[in-house]
Amino acid sequence: MARRTTKQPLPDDFEEHILDIDVGDEMRASFLEYAYSVIYSRALPDARDGLKPVQRRILYTMNDMGLRPDRGHVKSARVVGEVMGRLHPHGDGAIYDALVRMAQPWAMRLPMIDGHGNFGAPDDVPAAMRYTECRMAPAAVAMTAGIDEDTVDFKPNYDSRELEPSVLPAALPNLVVNGTTGIAVGMATNMAPHNLVEVVQALRHLIGHPGAGVEDLMRFIPGPDLPTGGKIVGLDGIRDAYETGRGSFRMRATVRIETVGRRKAIVVTELPYGVGPERIQARIKDLVQAKKLQGIADLRDLTDRNHGLRLVIEVKNGFVPEALLEQLYRQTPLEESFGINAVALVDGQPRTLGLKQMLEVFLGHRFEVVRRRTVFRRGKAADRLHLVAGLIIAILDIDEVIQVIRSSDNSAAAKERLISVFELSEVQADYILDMPLRRLTRFSKLELDKEREELDREIERLDAILADDTLLRKVVSDELADIAKTFGTPRRTVLLASAGSTVTAAASSGLEVADDPCLAFLSSTGLLARSSSAEEPGSGGGRANHDVVVSTVRTTARGEIGVLTSRGRVLKLGVLDMPELPPSANDPNLQGGLPLTEVLALGAGERALALTSLPTEGPGLALGTRAGIVKRVNPEVLGRDEWDLIALKDDDEVVGAVELVTGEESLCFITGDAQLLHFGADAVRPQGRSGGGIAGVRLGAGERVAWFGAIDPATSVVVTSSGSSTALPGTDTGAVKVAPFSEYPPKGRATGGVRCHRFLKGEDTLVFAWAGAEPARAAASSGAPVELPPPTGRRDGSGIPSPQPIAACAGPVAAQLGVTGGVEGSAT
């Protein structure tokens, strides 16, 4: 049956109203509103906390839900639903994607979420939210700490039923440390991650030196530190980005050449940021099938949870691995570019920021957060002090207070009588009336007096912070130092000034290179290089140092040298594999050098200590271990690529290894509890390779050796840095002292030595120690220079605060070569 409809007549008072609007104006207005929403509410981070709105809402909601690191994980779907229902009504997909990224260690330098389950891989998507679980990571707790102390402003949520923070307190510089990426309307942002310890050092320097320029800050932040490690080749683009907010740099995978079976193989252990192994494999297969890449026999992905990334590219016999590697760099994602476009919201406006501007915005935010937190805590303390004063009055006249309350007709009358009789305020009277009588008996006059004194001191301290801007800045600086100690990790990415010299097939055969004398260098960041000049890199002047040479040996261009490692091994290395520095050696660092890990395969946790010329005669080598064992090894060069020099116990490792020149040098131990012992090398009888050494220094219970080496007492200094044993390695800046070595008397082998550093409050160990020829040069883990104080002359004095943690120290190259009576090699 057809449905019959009746048209309703319009009412008599209806007036038709049509508004004519220009379609161009309407499109412009609508598009601007849309662009505004995308820029401010979705794509760009706030420069203060470095978070986009969805990220901030996730962390705030998880904090409200109590999902802290000491609690159990909950389903990710529960968090997503809570965020979407309360604060972010833009769909569960966008929320879950943001949550997953904040949990991926290869995407974030400092993950904010602790994920449990399949959160994906660089080449794979995560499991659905109903299968994964999450909770806050410790770093997220630092981002939200103090949010309930009126430290930030709140604003209405999308339906005005709740409030959400406009920014988080952000105790750590998240924007610089974790970077960000986003595409808005008409603009985009892309920032690289950095090392937290380096960023904190730069922030603390900026607090004390507001006029510092980009060059000064780059002493602390020489470049990005990517979550996936790898190498950055070329620093000019980084400097441009730090100055203008725009720049680019090249990322390279970390590879080394190994022998796999009967073939040479290129082994990839770290990939550029944002590149996964499947993408590399697919690209190589396409190039091989298109016959654009030759020389590859096999390609295998041996990555696992225990050993991490390991992509093995076997090279066909007859092909030069180094030449093939250069083709892979050019044609595959083993080398990628990263473009920095540092756009963030500052005071609600999108701005392109240089490094100093980003740090200044963060510091301004922290100053405001600490000031507001101090005001809040001062108010809380004052309120409590007011109540304590009322309680003291009530305790002193407890019988009369009870009589007043019992004789009153009602609570209002009791309140009025308490106020009039004991001169209490309304707040004090209400507090006493609301308190059960049994609680009054628990208070004592002495306890209340003690609490009042503590509150007075606390209020005085908080008032001092509010009244003195210098003290406020010191509080922020100290809190940043604590953040670095708690969350800091060593640098993962190697910075190279250039790609170094390319090894061609002809050069690799050694037929076109004369076997001229040269020097081989090892830097503090593990870079190798050679030079025909006897001048130390950096002695010719130039820009600020970014590395120190920790070991040098004389050799020839077509000769072989050895690398002494912490496992007591010697790894043979061809000098021709090392790039050659310019003859003038005018570049003050080895960043044009070759990373040692590209030519030698080190085990997990194994470190390169020094170079040796592989002597066949002479006094041989000297080794010192963490457990205080010393050993002299007879000169012996075997016909293989590697061999052991000492039989180590399972819990021991070599901390210093040097090549002796005369056999009359002084061997020196420095222990973690600041004891220094040195004795003549002739007191140690040489042993064969299978020997386990003899007692070198007597250690206290639980103590270990911090440094071992061989020195000339007449020309040497001792550099020590004290700190806390509870701090993460490489995060404690320490208190540094430099003293002449002549201040320390020699003692017999296997004794306890003399004190070389006095610990102050909060210090219980040496976080760094070194002895060698002066002038000493120190460097951080990034290779950036660390200024050392002058020698004090006090052998057991305390140190002065260092601007950043010291990772390596070395004397002049001439001393390392024995020209001034030093030793041929330097232990790190």
Side-chain angles (χ1 to χ4, degrees):
M1 180 185 297
R3 179 176 297 175
R4 219 166 79 181
T5 59
T6 303
K7 184 177 181 181
Q8 298 292 333
L10 295 174
D12 295 336
D13 58 348
F14 177 79
E15 293 184 4
E16 188 178 56
H17 180 70
I18 299 175
L19 181 64
D20 292 329
I21 299 177
D22 182 74
V23 66
D25 294 340
E26 179 63 23
M27 288 294 292
R28 277 190 291 272
S30 299
F31 185 81
L32 285 175
E33 185 176 351
Y34 163 71
Y36 180 90
S37 174
V38 172
I39 291 171
Y40 293 95
S41 302
R42 294 174 63 182
L44 295 186
D46 193 297
R48 295 171 291 179
D49 61 6
L51 297 173
K52 300 177 185 179
V54 63
Q55 296 172 324
R56 185 179 304 114
R57 289 162 178 166
I58 290 172
L59 296 184
Y60 174 68
T61 301
M62 294 181 75
N63 182 67
D64 267 5
M65 295 172 66
L67 304 181
R68 299 185 171 267
D70 55 349
R71 306 285 181 86
H73 294 80
V74 302
K75 286 291 186 182
S76 300
R78 178 181 171 188
V79 176
V80 171
E82 192 76 8
V83 173
M84 183 171 59
R86 293 179 55 195
L87 306 175
H88 195 79
H90 295 295
D92 57 352
I95 300 173
Y96 187 54
D97 288 345
L99 186 150
V100 165
R101 187 179 187 278
M102 288 194 291
Q104 293 175 334
W106 60 87
M108 304 280 283
R109 189 61 180 83
L110 192 63
M112 295 291 167
I113 290 178
D114 177 13
H116 184 263
N118 178 15
F119 275 78
D123 283 323
D124 198 7
V125 297
M129 70 180 79
R130 61 182 178 273
Y131 298 121
T132 62
E133 297 178 340
C134 65
R135 63 184 177 188
M136 298 175 71
V141 177
M143 292 292 293
T144 57
I147 198 169
D148 55 348
E149 295 182 295
D150 192 32
T151 53
V152 295
D153 294 329
F154 281 71
K155 62 182 181 180
N157 69 332
Y158 67 93
D159 60 1
S160 298
R161 294 184 180 182
E162 292 190 42
L163 295 176
E164 63 173 311
S166 58
V167 66
L168 294 185
L172 55 89
N174 179 63
L175 181 65
V176 184
V177 171
N178 276 325
T180 189
T181 181
I183 301 176
V185 178
M187 62 184 65
T189 184
N190 198 34
M191 303 185 197
H194 290 77
N195 185 274
L196 174 63
V197 176
E198 297 174 359
V199 175
V200 168
Q201 292 165 2
L203 287 167
R204 299 187 70 191
H205 179 77
L206 193 59
I207 291 174
H209 306 83
V214 173
E215 289 293 335
D216 294 329
L217 297 177
M218 287 189 68
R219 291 177 54 231
F220 304 94
I221 310 177
D225 187 20
L226 307 176
T228 53
K231 297 178 295 184
I232 292 178
V233 181
L235 305 181
D236 292 337
I238 295 174
R239 184 173 289 101
D240 293 339
Y242 287 169
E243 291 177 349
T244 66
R246 296 178 184 272
S248 64
F249 58 85
R250 287 182 297 154
M251 304 176 292
R252 273 191 175 183
T254 297
V255 301
R256 60 173 177 256
I257 308 300
E258 294 184 9
T259 300
V260 178
R262 297 183 178 180
R263 290 194 178 101
K264 291 288 186 179
I266 299 172
V267 179
V268 183
T269 57
E270 294 176 352
L271 289 174
Y273 183 47
V275 177
E278 291 185 4
R279 182 178 165 194
I280 300 291
Q281 294 180 79
R283 179 58 178 164
I284 291 177
K285 290 178 181 178
D286 292 342
L287 291 173
V288 171
Q289 291 175 358
K291 297 184 178 181
K292 295 181 180 180
L293 188 63
Q294 298 181 354
I296 296 180
D298 193 12
L299 175 62
R300 289 173 293 165
D301 187 3
L302 304 181
T303 303
D304 58 34
R305 293 182 182 270
N306 296 327
H307 301 91
L309 177 69
R310 184 176 172 85
L311 189 62
V312 180
I313 305 171
E314 292 192 13
V315 182
K316 292 181 179 178
N317 294 330
F319 287 83
V320 180
E322 291 81 2
L324 179 60
L325 179 60
E326 289 299 324
Q327 296 184 49
L328 291 173
Y329 281 147
R330 289 196 303 270
Q331 301 184 57
T332 71
L334 285 179
E335 179 173 298
E336 286 275 86
S337 294
F338 188 99
I340 296 178
N341 185 27
V343 178
L345 297 177
V346 179
D347 296 330
Q349 300 294 324
R351 286 179 52 192
T352 302
L353 304 173
L355 176 63
K356 183 177 181 180
Q357 287 74 35
M358 284 191 284
L359 297 181
E360 287 177 336
V361 170
F362 172 77
L363 284 178
H365 175 57
R366 284 304 299 171
F367 292 150
E368 179 65 15
V369 166
V370 172
R371 187 193 64 80
R372 293 179 59 166
R373 185 188 66 194
T374 305
V375 171
F376 179 86
R377 292 179 178 178
R378 199 243 181 244
K380 286 289 186 181
D383 292 343
R384 178 58 186 173
L385 180 62
H386 186 60
L387 296 178
V388 168
L391 279 176
I392 292 175
I393 295 174
I395 290 294
L396 291 176
D397 299 305
I398 185 64
D399 294 334
E400 188 175 353
V401 168
I402 295 175
Q403 179 63 31
V404 168
I405 295 174
R406 291 183 60 185
S407 60
S408 300
D409 296 332
N410 50 47
S411 60
K415 175 180 176 180
E416 292 179 0
R417 294 183 62 190
L418 285 174
I419 293 174
S420 61
V421 173
F422 299 101
E423 298 183 354
L424 300 176
S425 67
E426 290 190 11
V427 175
Q428 292 171 326
D430 286 334
Y431 185 70
I432 293 173
L433 287 172
D434 292 340
M435 181 179 295
L437 186 61
R438 63 177 179 273
R439 288 188 59 189
L440 280 174
T441 62
R442 295 172 54 189
F443 290 105
S444 71
K445 177 69 166 49
L446 293 177
E447 291 177 352
L448 291 174
D449 285 339
K450 181 180 178 181
E451 183 179 1
R452 181 171 60 180
E453 292 175 0
E454 292 175 352
L455 289 170
D456 284 333
R457 286 195 298 268
E458 178 68 7
I459 291 174
E460 183 179 358
R461 185 185 69 85
L462 296 174
D463 285 338
I465 295 175
L466 295 174
D468 189 351
D469 184 66
T470 302
L471 190 56
L472 175 67
R473 299 170 75 89
K474 183 180 184 302
V475 171
V476 173
S477 179
D478 292 343
E479 290 182 356
L480 287 172
D482 292 338
I483 287 292
K485 290 181 180 180
T486 305
F487 303 108
T489 54
R491 167 170 280 273
R492 299 175 185 173
T493 302
V494 176
L495 303 177
L496 302 176
S498 62
S501 56
T502 302
V503 180
T504 63
S508 64
S509 66
L511 298 178
E512 297 183 2
V513 178
D515 196 21
D516 294 330
C518 66
L519 301 180
F521 303 111
L522 172 66
S523 80
S524 64
T525 55
L527 300 178
L528 295 168
R530 58 185 171 92
S531 173
S532 59
S533 172
E535 184 181 8
E536 177 179 5
S539 59
R543 55 189 171 83
N545 297 330
H546 281 295
D547 212 343
V548 294
V549 177
V550 296
S551 185
T552 308
V553 295
R554 295 186 190 276
T555 182
T556 60
R558 292 170 57 189
E560 290 183 325
I561 61 174
V563 178
L564 303 171
T565 76
S566 58
R567 287 190 179 177
R569 299 194 300 162
V570 173
L571 305 179
K572 194 180 292 186
L573 173 66
V575 178
L576 201 60
D577 293 335
M578 303 161 61
E580 184 174 7
L581 296 179
S584 63
N586 204 34
D587 188 8
N589 55 70
L590 296 188
Q591 292 194 11
L594 178 73
L596 182 142
T597 53
E598 285 197 8
V599 291
L600 293 177
L602 298 179
E606 187 175 17
R607 297 172 291 111
L609 299 178
L611 305 179
T612 173
S613 60
L614 300 177
T616 57
E617 58 183 16
L621 307 173
L623 291 79
T625 75
R626 189 76 67 186
I629 301 297
V630 64
K631 180 181 179 182
R632 278 185 61 184
V633 187
N634 289 317
E636 182 182 12
V637 178
L638 303 181
R640 53 177 183 258
D641 291 339
E642 61 181 70
W643 60 92
D644 294 330
L645 293 177
I646 185 173
L648 290 172
K649 294 183 178 180
D650 293 339
D651 59 344
D652 201 4
E653 67 170 353
V654 177
V655 294
V658 294
E659 182 178 331
L660 301 177
V661 178
T662 65
E664 299 178 356
E665 296 87 353
S666 290
L667 301 182
C668 177
F669 281 95
I670 303 178
T671 66
D673 58 347
Q675 297 295 313
L676 185 149
L677 171 68
H678 68 99
F679 49 86
D682 54 3
V684 183
R685 178 176 56 84
Q687 295 179 330
R689 293 185 299 106
S690 59
I694 58 178
V697 61
R698 186 174 68 241
L699 298 174
E703 293 297 336
R704 308 285 276 175
V705 172
W707 183 87
F708 170 82
I711 48 85
D712 176 12
T715 61
S716 297
V717 293
V718 178
V719 180
T720 51
S721 177
S722 56
S724 172
S725 58
T726 59
L728 289 174
T731 62
D732 196 339
T733 56
V736 180
K737 178 176 72 72
V738 181
F741 196 90
S742 57
E743 294 291 326
Y744 302 93
K747 297 184 69 175
R749 180 183 60 81
T751 59
V754 297
R755 187 169 70 171
C756 62
H757 196 112
R758 180 165 56 87
F759 295 143
L760 300 178
K761 183 178 180 181
E763 302 172 348
D764 60 359
T765 188
L766 290 182
V767 295
F768 179 82
W770 176 86
E774 58 178 342
R777 289 167 46 190
S781 59
S782 63
V786 179
E787 185 176 352
L788 294 175
T792 63
R794 298 176 55 194
R795 77 183 191 191
D796 63 345
S798 58
I800 63 174
S802 174
Q804 54 186 319
I806 299 176
C809 198
V813 165
Q816 297 178 31
L817 293 171
V819 175
T820 59
V823 295
E824 192 170 358
S826 172
T828 58

